[in-house]
Amino acid sequence: MTTTSRNPATALPGRPPIVDLATWQAARNELLVREKAHTREGDALAAARRRLPMVEFDGTVEVVGPDGPVPFLGLFQGREELLVYKHMWYDGAPHQGQCEGCTMTTWQLKDAVYLNARGVSFAVLTTGRWDEVAAYVEFMGYTQPWYSVRDVDAPVGDSMGCLTCFLRDGARAFLTYSTTGRGNEPVAGSFGLLDRTPYGRGEAWEDKPEGWPEGRHACWYWRSDADGDPTWGPTSRPVPQWTRPGATPVETLGRHGPHS
């Protein structure tokens, strides 16, 4: 898989003004004041999250992993806190037909060692049948724990595409926080890095200088062809799959719904 690059000779003419280093530094310092205020507001939001009420639920409910059914409390691995990502699933779809956004998110947290060091366990939950899930996990090379929560009620099962936090107190389990959509972005560090680049994420909703590349609809880069060009075409796959053995073009995503 190759990556795309822009040809300077054909770049769009629109761009911010070109200035000397001192002028740039002054503008950068002005923006830094706003960035610090944004950071402090983020800290205040995190403090409010820590004060949310909790919901107690039955922690003995069983989920299915590589060793068969296990109680949900086992996912804490002896720790008090548990962070899970709920991965969307398309029954019967081939690997390249599974959720692109969830693939992007889970791919970027392949090692939870720093969470573990802080007393937080991490797992991926999905509604797929375990035999299908296990094959997908092996193909992708994921190392984080995966479990099927098929037919399990909320807050363990139910809606997917969420980042959810749980707390354990002995044999008691509590739901403390859940978010979805752009709330999942902290797991996908690439978003924050792209926000600091000149062209940003390349999405149409972004505010850009006049003449800057306009971008496309959100998430256009989740899938690509073998040359690394972003596309929803019939031979595209979720981007990281091109690094896996046996990742060859296919003619269908093998699923129902958008981009099927």
Side-chain angles (χ1 to χ4, degrees):
M1 174 181 171
T2 59
T3 56
T4 57
S5 61
R6 298 183 182 277
N7 182 348
T10 60
L12 296 176
R15 65 188 63 187
I18 299 173
V19 298
D20 59 66
L21 182 59
T23 303
W24 172 87
Q25 187 64 60
R28 174 68 190 97
N29 291 344
E30 182 178 352
L31 179 60
L32 182 60
V33 174
R34 296 177 59 190
E35 289 181 331
K36 289 184 174 181
H38 178 74
T39 298
R40 288 191 290 271
E41 177 59 19
D43 292 340
L45 285 170
R49 291 188 195 103
R50 290 190 287 271
R51 289 165 173 79
L52 281 174
M54 304 188 298
V55 178
E56 186 168 7
F57 63 96
D58 181 8
T60 66
V61 62
E62 291 188 335
V63 300
V64 179
D67 298 322
V70 296
F72 181 76
L73 283 169
L75 276 59
F76 284 82
Q77 299 177 322
R79 302 182 179 94
E80 292 185 351
E81 297 178 272
L82 172 66
L83 179 68
V84 306
Y85 181 75
K86 297 185 174 182
H87 194 293
M88 294 181 182
W89 193 262
Y90 293 90
D91 286 344
H95 301 325
Q96 68 274 3
Q98 296 303 337
C99 178
E100 300 84 2
C102 291
T103 299
M104 180 183 186
T105 299
T106 54
W107 185 261
Q108 295 183 68
L109 186 57
K110 301 173 73 174
D111 190 330
V113 63
Y114 284 106
L115 293 176
N116 297 162
R118 186 59 184 83
V120 181
S121 291
F122 177 76
V124 182
L125 309 182
T126 189
T127 56
R129 299 180 181 87
W130 179 249
D131 58 340
E132 293 186 10
V133 174
Y136 182 71
V137 171
E138 181 180 9
F139 170 75
M140 294 298 294
Y142 289 131
T143 57
Q144 62 269 70
W146 279 62
Y147 297 90
S148 171
V149 293
R150 194 176 189 85
D151 300 324
V152 177
D153 294 333
V156 175
D158 201 35
S159 299
M160 296 287 107
C162 305
L163 183 65
T164 305
C165 299
F166 300 95
L167 180 68
R168 179 178 68 86
D169 182 8
R172 301 176 69 185
F174 303 88
L175 165 70
T176 64
Y177 178 75
S178 188
T179 187
T180 190
R182 293 192 64 185
N184 294 333
E185 288 185 1
V187 188
S190 293
F191 282 126
L193 295 175
L194 287 171
D195 286 341
R196 285 155 175 77
T197 64
Y199 288 137
R201 304 184 187 193
E203 296 181 3
W205 60 266
E206 292 178 289
D207 186 352
K208 306 176 181 66
E210 183 178 356
W212 222 237
E214 294 184 0
R216 306 184 187 180
H217 58 81
C219 313
W220 63 271
Y221 41 77
W222 284 0
R223 296 187 71 89
S224 72
D225 60 21
D227 294 323
D229 297 317
T231 178
W232 290 99
T235 59
S236 68
R237 310 177 69 100
V239 172
Q241 287 194 7
W242 291 108
T243 68
R244 309 308 301 160
T248 55
V250 292
E251 296 301 324
T252 176
L253 300 186
R255 73 189 195 209
H256 300 291
H259 312 295
S260 58

